[in-house]
Amino acid sequence: MSEPFRNICVMGLGYIGLPTASLLGTKGYKVTGVDVSEVIVNTINNGGIHIVEPDLDLLVKSAVNSGNLKASLKPEPADVFIIAVPTPFKDGHTPDLEYVEAATAALVPHIKPGNLVILESTSPVGTTEETVARILSEGGHDVSKDVYVAHCPERVLPGRILIELVQNDRIVGGINAQATAAAASFYREFVSGQVLETNARTAELSKLTENSFRDVNIAFANELSLICDHENVDVWELISLANRHPRVNILQPGPGVGGHCIAVDPWFIIHRNPNESRLIRSAREVNDSKPHWVIQKIKSKAERFKYPTIACLGLSFKANVDDLRESPALQIVENLISQNIGEVIVCEPNIKSHPKFELWDVHEAVERADIIVVLVDHTPFKNLSASRLSEKIVIDTRGVIK
Ligand code: SAJ
């Protein structure tokens, strides 16, 4: 590809698309960010944001004010098109590629020879070639030489997105060698980590592998927490002791695994390889069953009361974010409310309001509660000392209370 990459069109302005679009805008690229939501488009064009991520507000404001980032409901011609739309699953854990298909189809009229199309959405093996390249090809584009199609999975950690977007190594895999080279040269312009070249299928599977690795390791910690409960051993102490071994590094148990990545991506492997992925499936099952175990634990403690007040600390899927997607904490709270075993009161310091629950100040909630359930290890909860809670029943799924 001889032309420089100047104009970028980012499809999807969510947790990955918006940080990417605004980062590129502040690096001097002309960026059109496309989203199907008019509310999101208007919010961004007014210099605002619709998600919580450290420093993202400043970055978006600066990119919009400089005139380098504008949001739109429709794509525009560009040198590089980045697809960063959700890839959820449907019933039976079948991957749902509807958003990738719709975003790719929307690009067809705008693509010219020499353009680069990058799929960043986490995707089952084969999606770059069999969905993105196929739709472009059916739309009349020659993906074997005129248009470069590649996968470059996003690997940023919510809460550290802006740092990791620049510093993480990136894996880039094209559907052919020219596409790999074109995509790699684009990322090398703004990534300080290494850009590692491979093919599209390996790039797709590498992302799924990273998240499955984490899922399997969290499942090990969650399984240990059940064993420790049964054996009357403190799982947090056990793990910190075992981790003193130079080759042991156990992760932390919790109320389950949430978020839109780790609880989803392993299914993309399992769906295509059901007979080969027994460990990955078991890990998913262990992690998915943990919220039910926590609910049973709360119910057994609640039995000693007539109608206890149960304070649930945390709703988000992990510490210090506002993201409730696939959150085990939310699942536990909703289940407790539906079973009506007590008065359930909820604290979530990272969100202002919730359509279903009144949100309590942590100190008031703790004061009022008979049973305190720590569901997320948010920083403000770490100041709660065990001595202050000595009269209460505490179920600490995150090992926060010291
Ligand atoms: N969790 C535990 N115990 C742990 C670590 C995590 O219970 O020791 C839980 C968290 O509370 C949360 C879930 O796991 O419910 C996932 O949290 P996370 O912080 O492990 O990961 P995510 O979902 O925020 O981001 C992951 C990251 N992947 C890896 O670390 C391999 C990130 O780099 C990916 O970009 C992201 O998924 C994604 O978008 O795929």
Side-chain angles (χ1 to χ4, degrees):
M1 180 177 277
S2 50
E3 295 296 309
F5 309 112
R6 290 287 311 129
N7 296 301
I8 319 291
C9 180
V10 179
M11 303 296 287
L13 293 175
Y15 281 83
I16 301 306
L18 182 57
T20 304
S22 49
L23 174 77
L24 293 173
T26 55
K27 299 245 175 211
Y29 296 90
K30 287 275 176 205
V31 186
T32 305
V34 180
D35 203 281
V36 291
S37 158
E38 206 167 335
V39 175
I40 292 178
V41 166
N42 291 340
T43 305
I44 292 163
N45 283 335
N46 289 327
I49 56 173
H50 59 291
I51 50 181
V52 171
E53 178 63 30
D55 300 331
L56 182 62
D57 51 347
L58 300 174
L59 197 72
V60 170
K61 200 167 256 152
S62 146
V64 170
N65 287 347
S66 70
N68 280 349
L69 171 63
K70 74 169 189 317
S72 168
L73 289 164
K74 297 260 176 281
E76 286 188 8
D79 305 310
V80 183
F81 295 88
I82 299 175
I83 301 172
V85 295
T87 44
F89 56 62
K90 303 189 267 210
D91 289 351
H93 302 115
T94 307
D96 181 356
L97 297 179
E98 203 183 304
Y99 300 112
V100 174
E101 288 164 0
T104 311
L107 297 183
V108 165
H110 303 282
I111 291 197
K112 300 180 301 297
N115 283 171
L116 171 59
V117 179
I118 301 164
L119 176 66
E120 281 211 8
S121 310
T122 304
S123 301
V125 175
T127 306
T128 310
E129 184 139 28
E130 292 155 25
T131 301
V132 177
R134 175 184 54 79
I135 292 173
L136 297 178
S137 168
E138 285 167 4
H141 299 293
D142 185 351
V143 293
S144 68
K145 63 176 168 44
D146 281 354
V147 175
Y148 305 99
V149 182
H151 183 52
C152 178
E154 62 78 13
R155 303 157 93 198
V156 289
L157 193 73
R160 282 178 49 86
I161 292 180
L162 298 186
I163 301 163
E164 294 204 354
L165 262 184
V166 175
Q167 292 182 1
N168 284 5
D169 292 347
R170 296 299 295 251
I171 295 173
V172 172
I175 62 164
N176 52 37
Q178 300 91 303
T180 306
S185 68
F186 171 60
Y187 284 98
R188 286 195 182 109
E189 290 184 357
F190 62 93
V191 166
S192 67
Q194 282 192 47
V195 176
L196 308 160
E197 299 183 26
T198 181
N199 56 45
R201 294 173 75 80
T202 310
E204 287 158 345
L205 190 54
S206 71
K207 168 62 193 244
L208 303 180
T209 299
E210 291 160 15
N211 280 353
S212 299
F213 170 86
R214 199 149 166 89
D215 199 41
V216 168
N217 282 278
I218 298 169
F220 181 71
N222 276 332
E223 190 160 288
L224 278 179
S225 74
L226 307 194
I227 295 166
C228 284
D229 188 70
H230 198 233
E231 297 284 15
N232 200 19
V233 167
D234 179 341
V235 68
W236 317 102
E237 186 191 1
L238 173 83
I239 290 174
S240 79
L241 292 174
N243 280 348
R244 299 298 287 268
H245 184 288
R247 286 174 296 282
V248 173
N249 187 8
I250 304 168
L251 295 180
Q252 300 299 304
V257 167
H260 44 294
C261 311
I262 294 188
V264 176
D265 301 355
W267 290 113
F268 292 176
I269 296 183
I270 300 165
H271 180 251
R272 287 176 60 97
N273 310 276
N275 300 326
E276 294 77 17
S277 55
R278 287 181 299 156
L279 179 62
I280 298 173
R281 178 189 283 274
S282 294
R284 269 292 63 246
E285 286 165 358
V286 167
N287 287 335
D288 271 355
S289 65
K290 189 72 193 283
H292 305 287
W293 185 87
V294 174
I295 291 163
Q296 287 313 319
K297 197 96 211 141
I298 299 168
K299 278 174 78 175
S300 74
K301 300 285 183 197
E303 272 164 13
R304 351 182 152 161
F305 298 86
K306 211 164 159 207
Y307 194 72
T309 297
I310 306 168
C312 293
L313 307 191
L315 266 188
S316 63
F317 84 92
K318 68 173 190 176
N320 304 325
V321 298
D322 70 327
D323 193 339
L324 306 187
R325 287 178 293 175
E326 315 287 330
S327 168
L330 180 64
Q331 187 187 341
I332 290 166
V333 166
E334 286 182 331
N335 188 299
L336 289 176
I337 292 172
S338 73
Q339 297 204 39
N340 196 27
I341 51 168
E343 180 201 24
V344 177
I345 57 178
V346 182
C347 292
E348 178 41 79
N350 296 291
I351 57 181
K352 289 197 187 76
S353 63
H354 188 277
K356 286 200 206 152
F357 327 111
E358 181 190 347
L359 297 178
W360 285 61
D361 166 76
V362 59
H363 299 289
E364 286 171 19
V366 164
E367 196 64 46
R368 186 179 168 101
D370 301 304
I371 302 175
I372 295 163
V373 189
V374 183
L375 293 171
V376 189
D377 42 341
H378 290 315
T379 305
F381 301 159
K382 294 190 173 161
N383 301 327
L384 295 169
S385 69
S387 54
R388 218 186 121 201
L389 307 175
S390 57
E391 316 238 298
K392 320 267 179 182
I393 291 181
V394 178
I395 301 171
D396 182 2
T397 71
R398 297 277 188 177
V400 164
I401 311 290
K402 299 286 178 278

